[in-house]
Amino acid sequence: MDSIPIVIGIGLVLAFIASKIFKKVGIPQVVGFMVAGILLRAFGIFGTDAAATLSVIITLALGLIGYNIGLELKASIFKGRIRKLMVIVILEATVAFWLVSMLIFFVTQQLYVALLLGAVASATAPAATADVVWDHKCAGPVSDSVMFVLALDDVIAVVLTNAAIAYALFVLAPVTSNLLIVIATPLLIIAGSVIIGAAFGAIFVLFVKREENKSVIVELELALVILLVGVVGYFGFSDILAAVFFGFVVGNKVPEDKQQAPQMLEVIMAPVVMLFFVIVGAKTDLGVFVNGIGGLVVLLTVLYVGGRTIGKILGARF
């Protein structure tokens, strides 16, 4: 279907209906959003043109989600707990990485495939997890810890994923490899994301100190989130990591009476986040489960999901 407004409209309506059905049986609404996307693809409503046109929604949604996660990371909440939480972040990410890598290598005997899937498994999918937390209006020390992990284990995932990609490229297309570049690239991505995100936060804080109109504050807030994801995307940095640090600066430096994000931004970002998961669902190709390698894909999926889940639990529990 060529009409993007129709695709968006049908997607949002389907996502709304599916989320209500799933929530009635105790399943998070985010699953309903993705099922709506799968249905759009199955009925030929969501095609390659729509995927290309709506790709900007994914970037914008990740920026808004990262920003809201950052807003919840109050320094006062984590005082005295930083060391313990950092240990949780490191262990839950690295144990999942090694366990998934070993399981996948056992089946495929291809180290680069195993390391790539292991690196992806180290991340905690902040968008989906945060949506579940916000949907159930969770609050307390456990939820705070979850948000901390969501914000920082992407740092580890960036390092592991870039290293795995570099190794895979070396295996598939052997060229003269510069070890310094391989090591420096993830560090540059992390540093650039943090610096740009914090700089945007500082700019916003300066503006808020001189502005009393809350509607104007929210307008600039949204404008800066959009500009931020555009800037970090241009430089090849992490959009969600930059947005998290933008939100962290705002959440800790802007007075509570001028922070309207929990009320106004929640309403604004709701359809964007919903559409984000619809697109994720629509990009899911279930055909790989039924073609010639369907059996292998099913096995790898079970190993990946099982290994990642067990790795996260064991790492965090330890």
Side-chain angles (χ1 to χ4, degrees):
M1 184 173 290
D2 296 327
S3 176
I4 298 302
I6 292 178
V7 173
I8 293 175
I10 294 175
L12 289 175
V13 171
L14 273 179
F16 176 79
I17 295 172
S19 67
K20 293 298 181 184
I21 294 173
F22 277 75
K23 286 180 73 173
K24 282 186 178 296
V25 294
I27 299 175
Q29 65 176 9
V30 65
V31 179
F33 297 160
M34 289 189 283
V35 168
I38 292 173
L39 292 175
L40 285 182
R41 179 175 181 139
F43 289 107
I45 298 174
F46 190 99
T48 54
D49 290 341
T53 304
L54 295 176
S55 61
V56 66
I57 298 295
I58 293 179
T59 302
L60 178 58
L62 288 174
L64 288 169
I65 291 168
Y67 179 70
N68 277 271
I69 290 174
L71 286 175
E72 297 188 24
L73 299 179
K74 307 290 187 182
S76 57
I77 295 176
F78 301 107
K79 188 175 182 180
R81 300 171 58 203
I82 298 296
R83 182 182 299 178
K84 184 176 181 178
L85 289 173
M86 285 304 301
V87 171
I88 292 175
V89 170
I90 294 170
L91 288 178
E92 59 86 17
T94 53
V95 173
F97 166 71
W98 286 115
L99 186 55
V100 170
S101 295
M102 288 188 293
L103 289 172
I104 299 300
F105 180 74
F106 180 77
V107 174
T108 64
Q109 295 298 302
Q110 293 179 314
L111 184 58
Y112 72 91
V113 173
L115 292 177
L116 279 170
L117 289 176
V120 175
S122 67
T124 311
T129 310
D131 186 81
V132 173
V133 172
W134 293 330
D135 180 35
H136 289 81
K137 303 188 184 304
C138 303
V142 175
S143 299
D144 292 336
S145 299
V146 168
M147 288 300 176
F148 185 94
V149 172
L150 290 179
L152 292 187
D153 83 341
D154 265 10
V155 174
I156 298 175
V158 167
V159 174
L160 293 176
T161 303
N162 276 274
I165 290 173
Y167 176 73
L169 290 174
F170 176 78
V171 171
L172 296 174
V175 292
T176 303
S177 180
N178 189 321
L179 182 60
L180 182 60
I181 294 178
V182 173
I183 297 174
T185 297
L187 299 179
L188 180 62
I189 291 174
I190 294 168
S193 303
V194 171
I195 292 171
I196 294 177
F200 269 68
I203 292 170
F204 182 70
V205 170
L206 289 175
F207 172 81
V208 169
K209 289 181 178 179
R210 294 168 173 77
E211 180 61 56
E212 297 298 328
N213 189 323
K214 294 179 180 178
S215 296
V216 174
I217 291 174
V218 173
E219 289 171 2
L220 179 63
E221 204 168 17
L222 280 171
L224 286 177
V225 170
I226 296 171
L227 179 59
L228 174 65
V229 295
V231 170
V232 296
Y234 177 80
F235 288 108
F237 298 146
S238 170
D239 42 22
I240 195 164
L241 188 59
V244 165
F245 276 88
F246 176 24
F248 175 76
V249 173
V250 174
N252 285 276
K253 295 298 183 181
V254 173
E256 290 285 345
D257 62 324
K258 290 188 177 183
Q259 289 185 28
Q260 294 299 305
Q263 296 80 30
M264 299 176 71
L265 273 184
E266 182 178 348
V267 175
I268 295 169
M269 71 180 285
V272 177
V273 173
M274 186 185 294
L275 190 57
F276 164 78
F277 287 110
V278 170
I279 296 170
V280 170
K283 286 187 171 185
T284 304
D285 183 10
L286 298 181
V288 297
F289 289 98
V290 294
N291 61 22
I293 59 169
L296 176 61
V297 173
V298 170
L299 176 59
L300 292 179
T301 300
V302 171
L303 291 176
Y304 175 87
V305 175
R308 180 183 181 278
T309 303
I310 294 171
K312 293 283 184 183
I313 292 173
L314 288 179
R317 187 172 180 80
F318 182 81

